[in-house]
């Protein structure tokens, strides 16, 4: 591997005696891991079914390393959102965000969605999760992953931090800034990250992080928690960004947290500021030569103060108004005929697309929104066609009719590729599942189950 020489010189200066061990880590193959989706399965249930060889990741209860011969990305379970393939050290920051069901949470730099979907899982469908990504193409991938993982209370936006902060003054309980960074922890996994690296880019990333963090600070409630993380080792980012932030924002402090085996404290002598703020050793470094992961940095920051009793966060335009029940009567009929559960929240129509926004969702007028909540389906003339996102958010017990396919069958793979199936049964919508995990919709008529798997997602597996 051709590591940039300026990077190596800096790492040698930083690590001293440990440098050799760090270099050695590039010689061994990288660890591959996945995170189970607790909205779909739990550890015990999955361990029984799993066709993969799994060993646990210490800092994430749903995280597992899989072995080289496993290909979880090519299994129907992946399309059913049973897991998300995520680098193990990247699973660490969300645990430190301490998300609770009912929180208002912002994931400010969210694509492709590893951490957003992890946050969404912890929220158990309660509260509001805004997943934001500044780059349009990446925001689209984020939105697809939010759908695949069956999140019901997530809103996906494509905005700059500056524009968002005008809408959400002191609004969120928790904010994750998984910052755009120089990506030095990606060198082992993606060699092209090496060619994009330069000392100038490190400086540029550090500056960009300053402004992203300032916007995040403005959007956090008093007493709220901000987790800053990167996948780089550069001290101008990491400790440097945290130290500069604390000097600009004396209303924040670093929270003492538990470090798992192999995690190291951050280094006050790498802050690069005068003075060095208190508590820099409470930041956390994950090194590839100290644990099984590519490397990460994280800091848990808390905003001093408390919100007054009964404080209700207010966004720029207040709460989103929903449409009247008569305007979604076709959905109600579908719900009665095809579902065993009832949906509650703010119903919204975008053209003929019906969404269910989480309770108390802020009005997003003027923002670029890719997904204003759970996509329920399309209002067609006199009938309703359910959305893929709705299917992925359901479990078999929520649907009146299910068609369960076996995970190791050809049928499951063919279904994902758009094939129809022969099936007896009552006419109507069927929730198609793989080993009990929802995968999409089929419509049964005359012994044929018509495939409603979205054309854009069909693939040969
Ligand atoms: C490290 S990645 C996020 C990874 C993501 N959190 C995950 O777990 O899948 C950082 C993201 O920040 C976005 N970004 C780039 N410039 C930005 C800016 N000025 N403000 C906010 N986000 C930015 C990038 O497009 C990228 O998607």
């Amino acid at each position: 591997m051709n590591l940039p020489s300026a990077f190596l010189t800096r790492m040698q200066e930083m690590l001293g005696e440990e440098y050799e061990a760090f270099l050695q880590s590039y010689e061994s193959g990288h660890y591959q891991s996945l995170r189970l989706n607790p909205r779909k399965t739990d550890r015990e249930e999955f361990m029984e079914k799993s066709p993969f060889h799994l060993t646990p990741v210490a800092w994430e209860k749903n995280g597992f390393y899989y072995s080289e011969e496993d290909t979880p990305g090519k299994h129907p379970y992946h399309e059913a959102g049973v897991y998300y393939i995520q680098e193990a050290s990247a699973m660490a920051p969300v645990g430190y965000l301490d998300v609770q069901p009912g929180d208002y949470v912002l994931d400010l730099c969210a694509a492709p969605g590893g951490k957003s979907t992890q946050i969404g899982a912890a929220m158990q469908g309660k509260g509001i999760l805004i997943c934001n990504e500044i780059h349009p193409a990446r925001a689209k991938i984020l939105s697809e992953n939010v759908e695949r993982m069956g999140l019901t209370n997530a809103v996906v936006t494509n905005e700059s931090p500056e524009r968002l902060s005008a809408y959400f003054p002191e609004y969120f309980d928790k904010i994750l800034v998984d910052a755009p960074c120089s990506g030095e922890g990606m060198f082992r996994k993606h060699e092209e990250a090496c060619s994009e690296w330069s000392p100038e880019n490190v400086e540029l990333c550090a500056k960009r992080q300053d402004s992203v963090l300032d916007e995040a600070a403005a959007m956090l409630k008093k007493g709220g928690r901000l987790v800053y993380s990167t996948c780089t080792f550069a001290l101008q980012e990491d400790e440097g960004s945290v130290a500069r932030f604390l000097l600009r924002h004396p209303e924040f402090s670093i929270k003492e947290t538990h470090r798992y085996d192999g995690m190291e404290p951050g280094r006050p002598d790498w802050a690069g500021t005068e003075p060095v703020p208190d508590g820099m050793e409470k930041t956390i470094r994950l090194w590839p030569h100290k644990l099984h992961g590519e490397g990460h940095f994280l800091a848990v920051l808390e905003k001093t103060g408390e919100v007054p009793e009964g404080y209700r966060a207010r966004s720029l335009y207040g709460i989103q108004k929903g449409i009247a029940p008569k305007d979604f009567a076709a959905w109600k009929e579908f719900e009665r005929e095809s579902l065993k559960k009832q949906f509650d929240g703010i119903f919204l129509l975008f053209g003929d697309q019906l969404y269910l926004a989480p309770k108390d969702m802020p009005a997003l007028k003027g923002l670029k929104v890719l997904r204003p909540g759970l996509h329920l389906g399309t209002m067609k003339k006199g009938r309703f066609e359910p959305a893929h996102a709705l299917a992925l958010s359901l479990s078999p017990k929520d649907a009146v009719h299910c068609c369960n396919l076996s995970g190791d069958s050809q049928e499951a793979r063919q279904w994902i590729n758009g094939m129809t199936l022969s099936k007896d049964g009552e006419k109507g919508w069927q929730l198609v599942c793989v080993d009990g995990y929802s995968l999409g919709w089929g419509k049964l008529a005359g012994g044929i189950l018509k495939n409603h798997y979205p054309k854009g997602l069909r693939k040969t597996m």
Side-chain angles (χ1 to χ4, degrees), residues 383-405:
R383 69 191 166 91
F384 184 82
E385 200 166 293
H388 191 56
L390 173 66
L392 288 167
S393 77
L394 297 172
S395 79
K397 67 175 177 3
D398 300 326
V400 172
H401 301 293
C402 281
C403 169
N404 195 29
L405 308 172

Side-chain angles (χ1 to χ4, degrees), residues 17-68:
E17 281 177 1
E18 273 181 37
Y19 178 66
E20 279 308 317
F22 173 76
L23 268 192
Q24 277 295 318
S25 72
Y26 286 90
E27 303 303 319
S28 53
H30 66 269
Y31 292 91
Q32 294 183 302
S33 43
L34 57 81
R35 183 176 41 76
L36 295 180
N37 181 0
R39 309 274 300 156
K40 289 260 165 153
T41 189
D42 62 43
R43 288 171 63 105
E44 286 67 35
E45 182 198 270
F46 192 74
M47 291 311 255
E48 264 175 38
K49 291 187 182 173
S50 169
F52 316 124
H53 308 84
L54 302 177
T55 49
V57 171
W59 46 88
E60 163 55 57
K61 67 175 186 306
N62 292 308
F64 293 90
Y65 302 99
Y66 56 88
S67 69
E68 256 172 45

Side-chain angles (χ1 to χ4, degrees), residues 11-227:
M11 289 312 298
Q12 192 162 17
E13 282 166 16
M14 284 171 76
L15 289 173
E17 281 177 1
E18 273 181 37
Y19 178 66
E20 279 308 317
F22 173 76
L23 268 192
Q24 277 295 318
S25 72
Y26 286 90
E27 303 303 319
S28 53
H30 66 269
Y31 292 91
Q32 294 183 302
S33 43
L34 57 81
R35 183 176 41 76
L36 295 180
N37 181 0
R39 309 274 300 156
K40 289 260 165 153
T41 189
D42 62 43
R43 288 171 63 105
E44 286 67 35
E45 182 198 270
F46 192 74
M47 291 311 255
E48 264 175 38
K49 291 187 182 173
S50 169
F52 316 124
H53 308 84
L54 302 177
T55 49
V57 171
W59 46 88
E60 163 55 57
K61 67 175 186 306
N62 292 308
F64 293 90
Y65 302 99
Y66 56 88
S67 69
E68 256 172 45
E69 65 264 29
D70 293 328
T71 51
K74 295 196 171 126
H75 195 282
Y77 289 169
H78 182 264
E79 306 321 297
V82 180
Y83 44 73
Y84 189 102
I85 294 176
Q86 187 179 26
E87 195 279 304
S89 44
M91 296 176 193
V94 169
Y96 288 96
L97 198 59
D98 188 31
V99 170
Q100 302 298 324
D103 277 346
Y104 287 10
V105 186
L106 170 64
D107 185 2
L108 187 51
C109 315
K115 296 180 180 87
S116 270
T117 54
Q118 195 177 1
I119 295 170
M123 295 179 80
Q124 299 171 18
K126 300 187 184 85
I128 299 170
L129 169 60
I130 299 201
C131 313
N132 181 67
E133 166 57 40
I134 195 167
H135 289 301
R138 290 178 62 82
K140 192 166 169 276
I141 297 168
L142 167 67
S143 185
E144 284 171 7
N145 279 325
V146 162
E147 171 173 285
R148 182 170 64 84
M149 300 304 275
L151 299 190
T152 52
N153 61 331
V155 174
V156 180
T157 58
N158 169 214
E159 282 297 345
S160 67
E162 292 77 9
R163 289 231 331 135
L164 271 191
S165 79
Y167 278 69
F168 299 110
E170 299 212 324
Y171 186 82
F172 296 101
D173 301 292
K174 314 273 163 70
I175 299 182
L176 177 67
V177 173
D178 188 36
C181 70
S182 52
E184 294 168 0
M186 303 291 274
F187 289 177
R188 197 159 65 157
K189 229 172 111 195
H190 301 296
E191 264 191 68
E192 65 275 16
C194 285
S195 56
E196 285 160 18
W197 186 92
S198 70
E200 295 72 33
N201 192 40
V202 170
E203 294 301 334
L204 197 85
C205 287
K207 277 216 176 71
R208 189 185 293 143
Q209 289 173 16
D210 290 348
S211 76
V212 174
L213 281 167
D214 286 346
E215 302 304 340
M219 289 188 268
L220 191 70
K221 271 184 198 164
K222 290 190 179 61
R225 181 177 285 209
L226 166 63
V227 169

